[in-house]
Amino acid sequence: MSTRLPKKDVVVVGLGWTGSIMAYELSKIGLDVVAIERGPWRDTASDYNIATAPDELRYAVRQDIFLRPAQTTDTARNTMSQTALPIRKFGSYLPGNGVGGAGVHWNGHSWRFFPTDFNLRSHYEERYGKNFIPEDMTIQDYPVTYDELEPHYDFFEKVMGISGKAGNIKGVIQEGGNPYEGWRSDEYPTRPLKPNLAQIKFEKAAKELGLHPFPLPSANISEAYTNPYGMRLAPCTYCGFCEWFGCANYSKSSPQTCVLPALMRHTNFEARTLCEVIRINKTRDGKMASGVTYVDAAGREFEQPADIVLVCAYSTFNVRLLMLSQLGTQYDPVTNTGTLGRNYAYQTNAGVLGYFDKDTHFNPFAGAGSQGMMADDYNGDNFDHAELGFVGGANINCNTPHGRPISARPTPPGTPRWGSEWKKATAETYGHTQSVGTQGSSMSYRDVYLDLDPTYKDRLGNPLMRMTFDFKENDLKMSRFVVDRCEEIMKNMGPQRMVKTYKRGPWNVVPYQTTHNTGGAVMSSTPDKGVVNRYGQHWDAPNVFVTGACLFPQNAGYNPTNTVGALTYWTIDAIKNQYLKNAGQALVQA
């Protein structure tokens, strides 16, 4: 039996980027807010202090701050004809565990999607014709536009203090920035990170080929900065311990550095950690949520009533919670009906590695998670697709994220994986190699989706999430095209040898690729195309709002965090200025 607790105004599921922002903004206006987080409390000073933060074995190898499969995991398969099996060790993607979520261990790449990413289907159909999009591709337009999100992109960037160089301020192209980006209302809050030799060589090579390189927008802050919430961030020291690590220097934008200290000052906010929400409860008529049920670390079950339920966990876990709560209709790829679990997508990454002479010293140990130089000439629809036969694109990047002693050991093909020859090759190549990579879009397809596994359950007896995913020919063709462009740039950078790696299927859960899982609870203009409306409000339960990359109907050639943040502030604005004035009502009529 559950213990029923006193009612709250708002219950927040998950305390990462979106949960902490939602909790701060709603507690600030006087609502009584409680956040329920599956993992432990995490704080910069105690958990990521300078003595322990740069521990590669603890964090990158043993995955100290990531979700453990013993807590919960997913099952995975490539096709509907296969039997899905549990992921025994997270590899391809790495969900965070604890307060801050994946916002603690990310690299810090901070992108806005292109305006055309928000009307993707209609844009391609208008430019290339309706027959250009493959029949099995289920991409669709967002129910919100770039212009509507721009103020929220701007504010989220100011909360994070993003370092970068604008390319388009109010329609005026800016020298040194990204000429392809959507218009911006303001410059980035802080200056770009300093380039190293790799970025300098890339910029020169790309310009010689007629491309338009620009600094990577970075959540590794370049200079001292105070954000709108009064949080103070320090300049990045280029230590190279960003991805998979918490930042000890208060230099990487995260919930811990940007939001949580301000949130914790609110006496009307409470955080309950080591507590897992297992169900969103409904009213007797099934038309509203009445709160949530969760289990604490001792196995005790509690019911937390609330007027508003905010679903703010990691994207796939949001989808699973909605499924376990029977909120929405499960998508069926055979009949092509239902919406919950539909339009799952990922990311399509590949690139070229260059081996340079011994007098070329890249000093990769002096790096940062999002220290890089980029080119967007082949991203989105910035290039003519008419004769290429694929939808989508990719950013081209030359990044120096780290040169850590365990994992940063690129050696030429054919080198043994251990022993004296491996040691010799490591010594000869360390500091003399550099990659030019791509981060590509991932379209959505009829037979790529999420549902509950019919066999496997978690430690609490609830079905695991089943992921049916593989790379499709459209995305692989796109990736091959852009990787060939990387090869041209790398050749112009002057390496002694190049190794080109195309993305190939089938998708494998073992090697790390990216923690950019999107879709499954997409936002839509009508209930037959998605789970939530344009404000993130659930079509079937108007007091349930969903955040995160699970709202994306497909994934662009960019990291999702900035768009997740912009959509979060868009939803907050709708809750504060529309929903609370007429609580319990749908903001969009079905």
Side-chain angles (χ1 to χ4, degrees):
M1 294 291 293
S2 298
T3 300
R4 185 179 174 87
L5 302 171
K7 190 175 185 179
K8 296 281 187 176
D9 294 325
V10 181
V11 60
V12 181
V13 182
L15 197 55
W17 268 123
T18 66
S20 60
I21 290 169
M22 285 279 199
Y24 175 84
E25 293 289 339
L26 295 179
S27 60
K28 184 174 69 172
I29 63 173
L31 297 183
D32 196 10
V33 180
V34 59
I36 302 175
E37 164 62 45
R38 171 167 50 199
W41 179 262
R42 297 193 188 277
D43 181 73
T44 299
S46 57
D47 291 286
Y48 311 117
N49 66 75
I50 197 65
T52 60
D55 186 336
E56 187 177 6
L57 184 64
R58 176 179 175 180
Y59 292 107
V61 177
R62 294 175 177 164
Q63 302 182 347
D64 185 81
I65 60 176
F66 300 129
L67 186 72
R68 302 295 184 181
Q71 295 169 278
T72 193
T73 187
D74 300 321
T75 68
R77 61 182 183 175
N78 295 124
T79 66
M80 294 168 57
S81 63
Q82 295 175 336
T83 299
L85 296 174
I87 296 173
R88 300 294 184 182
K89 184 177 188 295
F90 283 108
S92 177
Y93 55 96
L94 297 169
N97 178 42
V99 171
V104 173
H105 70 72
W106 70 316
N107 256 325
H109 297 208
S110 302
W111 298 102
R112 297 184 178 194
F113 285 3
F114 296 118
T116 53
D117 287 328
F118 293 96
N119 64 330
L120 191 71
R121 176 171 280 275
S122 59
H123 170 79
Y124 271 96
E125 288 180 347
E126 181 178 343
R127 183 173 181 182
Y128 304 109
K130 292 190 175 183
N131 293 331
F132 188 78
I133 298 174
E135 186 177 355
D136 67 335
M137 189 181 287
T138 57
I139 61 174
Q140 62 192 54
D141 294 351
Y142 284 73
V144 61
T145 67
Y146 176 88
D147 287 354
E148 290 174 310
L149 287 181
E150 199 285 332
H152 306 293
Y153 270 126
D154 181 70
F155 187 73
F156 187 46
E157 288 167 350
K158 286 180 167 63
V159 168
M160 293 193 291
I162 299 304
S163 298
K165 178 70 187 78
N168 181 346
I169 298 180
K170 299 177 181 178
V172 179
I173 301 302
Q174 308 291 308
E175 181 68 27
N178 180 5
Y180 297 103
E181 71 177 353
W183 68 275
R184 303 173 52 87
S185 55
D186 204 355
E187 182 58 86
Y188 281 98
T190 54
R191 294 170 294 181
L193 291 172
K194 296 177 182 179
N196 68 7
L197 178 61
Q199 282 88 59
I200 293 170
K201 292 175 76 68
F202 174 88
E203 183 179 25
K204 179 176 183 294
K207 284 182 175 179
E208 289 173 352
L209 293 171
L211 305 181
H212 302 82
F214 60 93
L216 168 60
S218 172
N220 316 129
I221 307 306
S222 63
E223 55 188 303
Y225 176 76
T226 302
N227 79 1
Y229 295 156
M231 300 297 98
R232 299 171 64 185
L233 284 76
C236 177
T237 59
Y238 302 88
C239 74
F241 289 85
C242 294
E243 183 182 43
W244 304 345
F245 299 81
C247 180
N249 201 50
Y250 295 85
S251 301
K252 182 171 69 171
S253 309
S254 69
Q256 275 79 358
T257 56
C258 299
V259 185
L260 286 167
L263 170 61
M264 296 308 294
R265 295 176 186 146
H266 291 161
T267 58
N268 53 331
F269 169 75
E270 177 189 358
R272 297 178 194 153
T273 58
L274 298 175
C275 295
E276 181 170 353
V277 176
I278 59 173
R279 182 171 61 256
I280 299 170
N281 303 318
K282 300 179 189 177
T283 56
R284 290 186 178 182
D285 61 8
K287 295 181 179 181
M288 298 277 284
S290 60
V292 302
T293 295
Y294 69 90
V295 176
D296 71 3
R300 297 171 299 184
E301 188 171 289
F302 296 90
E303 180 185 350
Q304 177 59 68
D307 291 326
I308 301 174
V309 176
L310 303 178
V311 184
C312 300
Y314 188 70
S315 61
T316 55
F317 302 139
N318 283 348
V319 178
R320 179 176 180 245
L321 180 60
L322 293 174
M323 290 177 181
L324 293 175
S325 308
Q326 297 183 0
L327 272 172
T329 304
Q330 174 64 50
Y331 171 67
D332 184 345
V334 177
T335 61
N336 200 24
T337 57
T339 57
L340 184 56
R342 180 176 179 268
N343 282 43
Y344 173 74
Y346 194 41
Q347 206 95 65
T348 315
N349 301 346
V352 178
L353 181 63
Y355 293 84
F356 290 76
D357 63 66
K358 295 182 179 179
D359 293 325
T360 303
H361 298 277
F362 290 112
N363 296 333
F365 49 84
S370 47
Q371 179 187 26
M373 191 67 69
M374 318 295 297
D376 260 348
D377 298 76
Y378 299 102
N379 202 356
D381 194 33
N382 297 335
F383 57 108
D384 190 354
H385 286 70
E387 304 301 321
L388 299 176
F390 60 79
V391 174
N395 70 61
I396 296 177
N397 54 73
C398 181
N399 302 338
T400 309
H402 68 89
R404 297 192 294 264
I406 296 176
S407 56
R409 293 174 176 265
T411 54
T415 303
R417 298 185 65 182
W418 64 284
S420 59
E421 288 301 312
W422 172 75
K423 293 178 182 178
K424 180 174 181 291
T426 295
E428 291 175 349
T429 58
Y430 182 86
H432 310 297
T433 61
Q434 179 61 44
S435 65
V436 173
T438 66
Q439 181 160 242
S441 56
S442 178
M443 298 298 123
S444 49
Y445 300 89
R446 179 170 173 168
D447 61 348
V448 172
Y449 64 102
L450 305 172
D451 67 351
L452 295 177
D453 193 280
T455 303
Y456 295 99
K457 298 182 180 352
D458 67 10
R459 73 190 195 288
L460 300 174
N462 294 313
L464 297 179
M465 172 73 75
R466 179 170 65 177
M467 185 179 292
T468 304
F469 174 79
D470 206 354
F471 295 109
K472 300 289 188 176
E473 181 54 31
N474 174 90
D475 301 339
L476 296 176
K477 189 174 184 179
M478 174 279 297
S479 183
R480 290 192 295 267
F481 173 82
V482 185
V483 168
D484 286 344
R485 308 288 79 75
C486 291
E487 183 181 31
E488 295 167 358
I489 298 171
M490 178 61 78
K491 183 178 180 180
N492 209 29
M493 290 172 66
Q496 292 182 325
R497 179 181 183 180
M498 295 185 295
V499 177
K500 180 169 62 173
T501 305
Y502 287 132
K503 174 64 73 177
R504 292 184 171 87
W507 170 63
N508 189 326
V509 302
V510 176
Y512 182 74
Q513 292 156 70
T514 178
T515 308
H516 300 164
N517 314 79
T518 69
V522 305
M523 59 193 324
S524 59
S525 298
T526 56
D528 61 316
K529 294 294 185 182
V531 175
V532 300
N533 66 25
R534 71 193 304 261
Y535 299 110
Q537 183 184 41
H538 202 287
W539 283 112
D540 297 341
N543 64 336
V544 175
F545 291 83
V546 184
T547 66
C550 59
L551 305 181
F552 298 4
Q554 57 274 329
N555 204 8
Y558 279 143
N559 303 59
T561 304
N562 256 30
T563 301
V564 167
L567 287 169
T568 300
Y569 281 109
W570 164 258
T571 296
I572 288 169
D573 183 73
I575 292 173
K576 292 195 298 186
N577 297 311
Q578 296 182 60
Y579 179 80
L580 291 177
K581 295 176 181 178
N582 199 7
Q585 299 301 306
L587 300 178
V588 177
Q589 295 304 310

